[in-house]
Amino acid sequence: MEIEIARRKEVEQRFKDFYSSVSHELRSPITSIQGALQLIEQTRERPAVKELIDTADISCERLIRLINDLLDVKQIEEGRLGLDLKEVDALELVNVAVDGMQGMAHNANVSLEVVMDSLSFVVADQDRIVQVLTNLISNAIKYSPSGAQVLIKVTQPETNQPRLRFAVEDSGPGISDEHQHKIFGKFERIDAADGQKRAGSGLGLAISKGIVEEHGGTIGFTSVTGKGSRFWFELATVQENTVPVMRSDSSVSAEKTLS
Ligand code: ADP
């Protein structure tokens, strides 16, 4: 009973912290859009105007992402995600997600490497699975040191079930053992093992878990402090093709291991 009360209090506190951090997250991009717009009004210098418009644009992006995340959390909680399931080519899913993340990777000086060990079709809502891959790749880039490589790998797990595993691997700071059980929780943000603070709402992994589980799939990760993290999820396949194929956006590399 006492444990239950303590647990409830902790959840309530987390809600309070979440709402205060969300109001901060919403307020700061709006304030910066406002500031940029006021300065645009006053300035006539062209390069300065471009910079201000870029600032306003980045802030709008952040706001839209946060609002979309909040709506997704609500939909997942209420069980009304409404998946549009089709037979989708795994390669297509990876390509769309990777192409969308090249800009962020470039800015962070991180390269994205794709290894397709298996070509298969999965039963999926394309936009939602691209969203999961994008979340995982975005985290991997965010936590990678400059000059590092993020590996996106598709394999057939060694089980009798017809499933496909998508994995995203980085060589970042990893997640310490004491925090590992929390990271798929809603509103959970943990300072990385390297002590550096990174922007984020703490919703990406909770949403990813909700989407994968709504597909009947599984999601998980392994992480070693100081070495990196490997996030993965598995979906049911429609059709199997064992011809190994590779697509790379930089030089071809052998698979790394975390252990
Ligand atoms: P956000 O990135 O917005 O904080 P997420 O739900 O995506 O939210 O991640 C939750 C937490 O999990 C992060 O705050 C971070 O502590 C940890 N995390 C997620 N991905 C990684 C990663 N690749 N390397 C290290 N830590 C990670």
Side-chain angles (χ1 to χ4, degrees):
M1 186 64 183
E2 269 176 32
I3 295 174
E4 181 59 18
I5 292 170
R7 210 188 58 81
R8 269 207 211 137
K9 274 195 180 154
E10 195 198 312
V11 171
E12 270 169 29
Q13 187 56 44
R14 235 195 286 151
F15 261 97
K16 277 187 198 152
D17 293 348
F18 171 72
Y19 281 107
S20 79
S21 104
V22 163
S23 12
H24 172 78
E25 288 279 333
L26 285 173
R27 213 176 10 238
S28 69
I30 293 173
T31 314
S32 106
I33 293 169
Q34 216 175 26
L37 292 176
Q38 284 166 359
L39 287 168
I40 287 167
E41 251 188 355
Q42 296 163 13
T43 181
R44 302 207 185 280
E45 276 178 59
R46 284 203 148 263
V49 170
K50 188 183 173 323
E51 214 172 286
L52 292 169
I53 292 174
D54 285 349
T55 306
D57 198 36
I58 290 167
S59 294
C60 288
E61 282 284 320
R62 271 176 63 192
L63 273 177
I64 291 167
R65 222 176 307 133
L66 181 61
I67 292 165
N68 286 343
D69 280 358
L70 288 170
L71 292 175
D72 283 350
V73 165
K74 209 80 203 103
Q75 283 188 334
I76 288 168
E77 266 176 2
E78 292 167 3
R80 46 179 193 89
L81 207 49
L83 296 181
D84 178 17
L85 294 176
K86 298 212 169 86
E87 294 183 8
V88 201
D89 186 348
L91 180 63
E92 168 84 3
L93 291 170
V94 171
N95 281 346
V96 174
V98 168
D99 289 349
M101 294 313 291
Q102 288 294 1
M104 180 182 178
H106 177 79
N107 291 341
N109 190 30
V110 168
S111 64
L112 303 179
E113 182 81 17
V114 177
V115 177
M116 301 287 298
D117 276 351
S118 176
L119 274 187
S120 282
F121 280 74
V122 286
V123 185
D125 180 320
Q126 167 147 349
D127 292 345
R128 288 298 187 183
I129 294 301
V130 167
Q131 183 182 353
V132 174
L133 280 166
T134 302
N135 273 338
L136 300 185
I137 298 169
S138 153
N139 278 346
I141 297 171
K142 195 157 80 175
Y143 290 94
S144 285
S146 175
Q149 187 180 69
V150 166
L151 184 68
I152 299 105
K153 203 168 177 217
V154 177
T155 53
Q156 206 114 44
E158 283 169 16
T159 63
N160 292 331
Q161 290 171 331
R163 292 174 89 79
L164 207 61
R165 176 180 280 230
F166 299 78
V168 178
E169 195 174 308
D170 66 64
S171 52
I175 301 153
S176 62
D177 290 350
E178 57 171 322
H179 293 312
Q180 290 200 0
H181 67 284
K182 297 193 211 165
I183 64 156
F184 284 111
K186 275 184 293 251
F187 323 131
E188 290 283 10
R189 301 215 60 231
I190 297 136
D191 288 339
D194 62 5
Q196 280 185 43
K197 292 214 182 298
R198 278 125 177 134
S201 62
L203 293 175
L205 287 179
I207 293 170
S208 299
K209 183 171 156 67
I211 293 174
V212 170
E213 289 180 350
E214 190 75 19
H215 278 80
T218 44
I219 186 164
F221 72 100
T222 49
S223 184
V224 179
T225 312
K227 293 216 166 171
S229 309
R230 178 193 290 132
F231 280 82
W232 57 265
F233 64 92
E234 288 181 9
L235 297 177
T237 53
V238 178
Q239 170 185 316
E240 289 174 41
N241 180 345
T242 48
V243 182
V245 199
M246 262 185 121
R247 170 183 177 247
S248 170
D249 289 287
S250 56
S251 59
V252 172
S253 76
E255 192 194 352
K256 296 170 288 179
T257 55
L258 291 171
S259 50

